[in-house]
Amino acid sequence: MTTTATPTVLTGSPALPPLLARGALLSPFKRPRPDADFPRTRLVLPGLRVDPARLAAYERVCGFPTGDDALPVTYPHVLGFPLAMRLMSGRAFPLPLLGLVHTSIEITRHTRLTTADAYELAVHVEGLAPHRRGTEAAVVTEARIAGDVVWESRSTYLARHRTPGRAEAGESPGSPDPLPPLADWRLGADIGRRYGAASGDRNPIHLHPLTARLFGFPRPIAHGMWTVARCLAEHGTPDAVAVRAGFRAPVLLPGTVTYAARGERFELRGGDRRHVTGTVRPL
């Protein structure tokens, strides 16, 4: 669903540190609930060029091959992240930025994307919804070349809070059987900091044990977008593709996880616990 608000056109990508600081300062004053109002602003950033050095850093930490002019399927999310942060760190956004957890993403890439192109990015908040552990916001990002949508995504972010009357849910009885394991990955304690430096996402739940404990995690957790990017780097994707991924349980750092896949399906798990489940479908 596209917002009908008049677009706000930006002349440059917003600086992330001031946005994160503003979001942190405002977080204690927000009381999330699924029926709250949310900003109808649609932020637009035209003429964006990819920085090859930042792209290479991202590719290295996520396991994508370097030296190619093609963008990884997840990279436009990084390009649009400052716009999303501008919306989610503002007073009009009802969920506290601190502790916000990325719970799912749907990506559609319509064609091969390269570093040679100039992109117009647009981001808006689609809406809020109740979740068994709090309130979820859906954020839509689009990338255009010469007016045509070439990439789009829909992410959901969870603000955890008490939800009277909503039962906790585990894995459903109808969950698919585990996929065959293909690789074990040992994850260092610095993965969150490395990905944060490459992507700009420096949510404190990913960075250090102390800041993670402030939000209920015993150790830092890996970024959801790092886990899905790492899986897709291993799986591979065609130029025109639809990706769906759900972040089911946090990956504690340091730790060991197993990548598993068969056909269009992939997952990341620790023991019998699924951390990420997803599909890769050619268009």
Side-chain angles (χ1 to χ4, degrees):
M1 180 179 69
T2 301
T3 180
T4 58
T6 302
T8 299
V9 179
L10 306 179
T11 58
S13 186
L16 280 170
L19 296 178
L20 295 171
R22 180 178 70 174
L25 290 172
L26 291 175
S27 288
F29 302 101
K30 296 189 176 184
R31 299 294 180 264
R33 63 182 197 277
D35 60 346
D37 196 13
F38 59 90
R40 265 65 176 183
T41 307
R42 182 170 177 265
L43 297 181
V44 178
L45 179 63
L48 180 69
R49 294 282 183 176
V50 174
D51 180 339
R54 282 196 64 194
L55 173 61
Y58 176 86
E59 290 170 333
R60 284 192 295 268
V61 74
C62 295
F64 290 106
T66 59
D68 190 353
D69 68 342
L71 302 187
V73 65
T74 49
Y75 196 65
H77 173 86
V78 173
L79 298 178
F81 186 69
L83 303 186
M85 284 299 98
R86 176 163 166 166
L87 288 175
M88 292 193 288
S89 66
R91 291 183 181 277
F93 187 71
L95 307 187
L97 189 62
L98 285 182
L100 209 59
V101 177
H102 199 176
T103 50
S104 74
I105 189 166
E106 302 173 3
I107 296 173
T108 303
R109 181 173 65 184
H110 299 280
T111 187
R112 184 175 185 265
L113 307 180
T114 74
T115 57
D117 293 306
Y119 298 93
E120 178 186 276
L121 296 179
V123 177
H124 70 272
V125 179
E126 183 183 72
L128 304 179
H131 185 279
R132 70 180 185 275
R133 292 181 178 170
T135 297
E136 238 175 17
V139 178
V140 173
T141 303
E142 297 172 334
R144 289 179 168 82
I145 298 176
D148 296 326
V149 175
V150 293
W151 184 99
E152 52 195 316
S153 74
R154 181 183 185 273
S155 285
T156 55
Y157 296 92
L158 173 66
R160 300 189 302 170
H161 58 85
R162 290 186 178 182
T163 55
R166 292 183 217 155
E168 287 290 327
E171 293 235 356
S172 65
S175 295
D177 293 335
L179 298 172
L182 300 181
D184 291 326
W185 298 331
R186 291 186 59 83
L187 309 182
D190 64 341
I191 284 291
R193 295 189 292 274
R194 290 174 56 207
Y195 182 82
S199 68
D201 184 354
R202 291 183 172 87
N203 188 324
I205 63 177
H206 305 301
L207 304 182
H208 298 283
L210 177 59
T211 54
R213 283 196 293 269
L214 292 174
F215 299 98
F217 297 100
R219 303 199 301 275
I221 65 173
H223 293 73
M225 284 307 298
W226 180 85
T227 61
V228 72
R230 184 67 186 89
C231 288
L232 293 174
E234 194 77 12
H235 190 283
T237 55
D239 289 341
V241 65
V243 174
R244 305 288 184 269
F247 308 117
R248 303 171 68 97
V251 176
L252 297 176
L253 301 173
T256 300
V257 292
T258 298
Y259 166 74
R262 180 193 291 125
E264 296 178 343
R265 293 174 53 210
F266 67 88
E267 66 186 20
L268 195 67
R269 61 179 185 255
D272 294 329
R273 192 181 198 193
R274 288 184 174 98
H275 297 293
V276 181
T277 59
T279 59
V280 177
R281 295 193 172 100
L283 294 181

